Amino acid sequence: MTPLSKRAPGWRLDLDNVRAVSYIRQSKRREDDSQASPMAQRERCASLIASKGWDDAGHFEDVGKSGWDPSVYRPGFEGMMSAVRAGHVDAVIVFSLSRLTRRGALGAMSRARCPPITRATM
């Protein structure tokens, strides 16, 4: 994995050199082998990052945290957004948009409050 570090001033996104992180969320803590299990989400996101030839800069995870209630503190999400805002991340990969929020694309964008980054979902 690529360590998180800030890009130099004036840096422009080069799709051949992208630092991507994945965000994993499951609202209820449970052990199963469903498509949306945290392990399955991590594997699918890592696979997409690798298929694009991007640097895997790690993952952020919130298990047992609601994606519907905006008042719920999600430490993984907040850590990821801090890394994005600091310029350490070029792309955030999620299994589906519902992993970021259950309030749709507009809800995800308003919750993110960050400069444009590359977003890719499965």
Side-chain angles (χ1 to χ4, degrees):
M1 280 199 264
T2 304
L4 296 179
S5 61
K6 188 168 180 134
R7 297 283 192 188
W11 175 86
R12 296 184 62 123
L13 181 62
D14 170 6
L15 291 179
D16 292 326
N17 189 20
V18 173
R19 295 167 306 173
V21 296
S22 54
Y23 177 68
I24 312 306
R25 186 187 66 76
Q26 186 177 42
S27 59
K28 289 187 171 51
R29 197 175 288 277
R30 61 181 171 266
E31 296 298 322
D32 62 17
D33 58 354
S34 73
Q35 283 189 355
S37 73
M39 185 177 1
Q41 290 180 53
R42 275 191 303 277
E43 289 170 358
R44 296 276 306 270
C45 290
S47 177
L48 179 66
I49 292 168
S51 74
K52 294 190 171 295
W54 293 348
D55 294 328
D56 188 338
H59 72 273
F60 295 87
E61 186 169 308
D62 288 311
V63 176
K65 302 290 183 180
S66 171
W68 176 257
D69 185 351
S71 68
V72 170
Y73 178 71
R74 296 188 275 162
F77 180 85
E78 296 303 330
M80 175 193 69
M81 292 310 303
S82 291
V84 168
R85 289 184 191 106
H88 302 301
V89 174
D90 304 315
V92 172
I93 308 301
V94 295
F95 177 73
S96 76
L97 186 58
S98 68
R99 300 304 86 202
L100 284 176
T101 178
R102 288 288 190 172
R103 295 188 179 260
L106 186 57
M109 297 302 290
S110 64
R111 179 152 176 117
R113 296 181 313 276
C114 64
I117 58 173
T118 302
R119 291 174 177 88
T121 59
M122 298 292 164

